[in-house]
Amino acid sequence: MLSIGKTAYLVGLTTKAIKHYEEIGLVRPAYVSPESGYRFYSQKEQQQLIRIRTLRNFGVSLSDILLEGDEQMESLLLKRKKEIADEIEELNGKMEGIDQLLNEGEKKMETRIVESEGFTVKGYEVKGPVSAIPAEWDRLNKVIHEEEVIAEESFGVCLSMENEMIHYIAGLKEDLTGSFPDTKEVTIPAGKFIVAKVEGGIPGIPATYDAIIQMEDIQLRDCFDFERYVHPVGATEDIIEIWMPIE
């Protein structure tokens, strides 16, 4: 067994960090001298400290390590990999927003005004964090494939939002969803909408909303706004539009 100082040197941590891990219940010394209070660590604890150091270097939180145990390195790293992918997507969205703001003087956002007769969307509902939305789109697309439905447009309707909690439906017009299980529906009332084409794919959606809100020649009205995804048969990518209700 080695002292805490020697162990810290070998595993690449500070003695302060090792003592903190002990305080929160992650790692306990193999032996503590009753006379001096000195801590000693066996190879088992040293290996455990290396695992914790590795996980922390990749940004895995102490709370996750405590919850799952440092021996669950693979699952913890896979979870962190997914978090990093989500962070990258969020950062890409911010970059798209910056580019749109910087270039708005060079390229005017493509918009049009539409008088909608109103329609009903049926699909899968989110009542929770914004991060839950992609899973419901995956569910919708899976059912579309299983039911062999040909849908050239789909809708993401925001019913309400407060902080990061959203009430949202990912769906199709109701005439295409007759056999879909467990759907919810929302009716978009008739009225006038400003429609803006999104540049840069899904990460560009927040910047498009911001650009519409900052337009000085429109007045928004209290009604549902929504995303419209246009995907004609044979097309290689979607056209994304934001529809905002206006007076």
Side-chain angles (χ1 to χ4, degrees):
M1 289 190 293
L2 299 176
S3 68
I4 188 172
K6 185 65 173 179
T7 295
Y9 170 75
L10 288 176
V11 303
L13 291 168
T14 64
T15 58
K16 182 178 179 181
I18 294 175
K19 288 179 179 178
H20 177 62
Y21 296 156
E22 180 185 347
E23 289 172 0
I24 64 176
L26 265 179
V27 181
R28 299 190 183 281
Y31 174 74
V32 179
S33 170
E35 294 83 16
S36 64
Y38 290 167
R39 295 167 170 81
F40 294 88
Y41 298 82
S42 68
Q43 188 177 17
K44 175 185 175 183
E45 290 80 47
Q46 291 152 11
Q47 291 172 346
Q48 188 178 8
L49 287 165
I50 288 174
R51 290 195 297 269
I52 294 169
R53 184 204 67 201
T54 302
L55 291 166
R56 294 293 289 145
N57 284 345
F58 285 112
V60 179
S61 68
L62 286 176
S63 60
D64 281 347
I65 299 173
L66 273 167
L67 182 64
E68 297 194 32
D70 58 88
E71 69 278 2
Q72 301 298 323
M73 276 196 69
E74 183 176 354
S75 65
L76 285 165
L77 289 173
L78 286 172
K79 179 181 178 182
R80 179 58 185 150
K81 183 179 179 181
K82 173 63 168 58
E83 291 173 350
I84 291 171
D86 291 342
E87 290 165 10
I88 290 171
E89 183 174 354
E90 181 180 355
L91 289 172
N92 283 335
K94 290 179 179 179
M95 288 177 64
E96 291 286 349
I98 290 171
D99 287 341
Q100 187 160 336
L101 285 173
L102 292 175
N103 297 328
E104 64 181 6
E106 302 173 11
K107 182 178 180 181
K108 188 173 179 63
M109 183 172 61
E110 184 180 325
T111 63
R112 67 185 189 275
I113 304 298
V114 175
E115 282 281 356
S116 172
E117 296 180 354
F119 57 94
T120 298
V121 171
K122 293 182 69 175
Y124 297 107
E125 181 181 47
V126 175
K127 281 187 174 181
V130 173
S131 59
I133 290 175
E136 297 310 312
W137 276 107
D138 289 345
R139 182 183 181 191
L140 175 68
N141 290 326
K142 182 174 183 289
V143 175
I144 289 173
H145 177 74
E146 290 172 348
E147 299 292 332
E148 299 182 345
V149 171
I150 297 175
E152 296 193 343
E153 61 180 355
S154 53
F155 302 86
V157 185
C158 180
L159 282 70
S160 65
M161 185 168 182
E162 185 173 351
N163 299 322
E164 288 297 308
M165 306 301 288
I166 193 168
H167 186 192
Y168 178 98
I169 290 179
L172 308 176
K173 287 188 175 178
E174 63 176 337
D175 59 316
L176 295 175
T177 60
S179 58
F180 287 18
D182 304 321
T183 55
K184 301 291 184 179
E185 69 176 51
V186 56
T187 297
I188 310 295
K192 187 184 294 186
F193 290 80
I194 183 166
V195 182
K197 182 179 178 182
V198 175
E199 299 293 341
I202 290 174
I205 289 175
T208 305
Y209 270 105
D210 290 347
I212 293 172
I213 291 170
Q214 293 182 65
M215 295 175 68
E216 296 181 355
D217 55 345
I218 63 167
Q219 183 175 349
L220 299 177
R221 62 185 171 89
D222 188 12
C223 184
F224 304 129
D225 59 85
F226 57 91
E227 306 143 19
R228 177 176 179 248
Y229 297 85
V230 185
H231 30 79
V233 175
T236 57
E237 61 182 31
D238 291 355
I239 296 171
I240 307 175
E241 297 176 339
I242 300 300
W243 287 54
M244 292 280 282
I246 59 173
E247 299 290 353

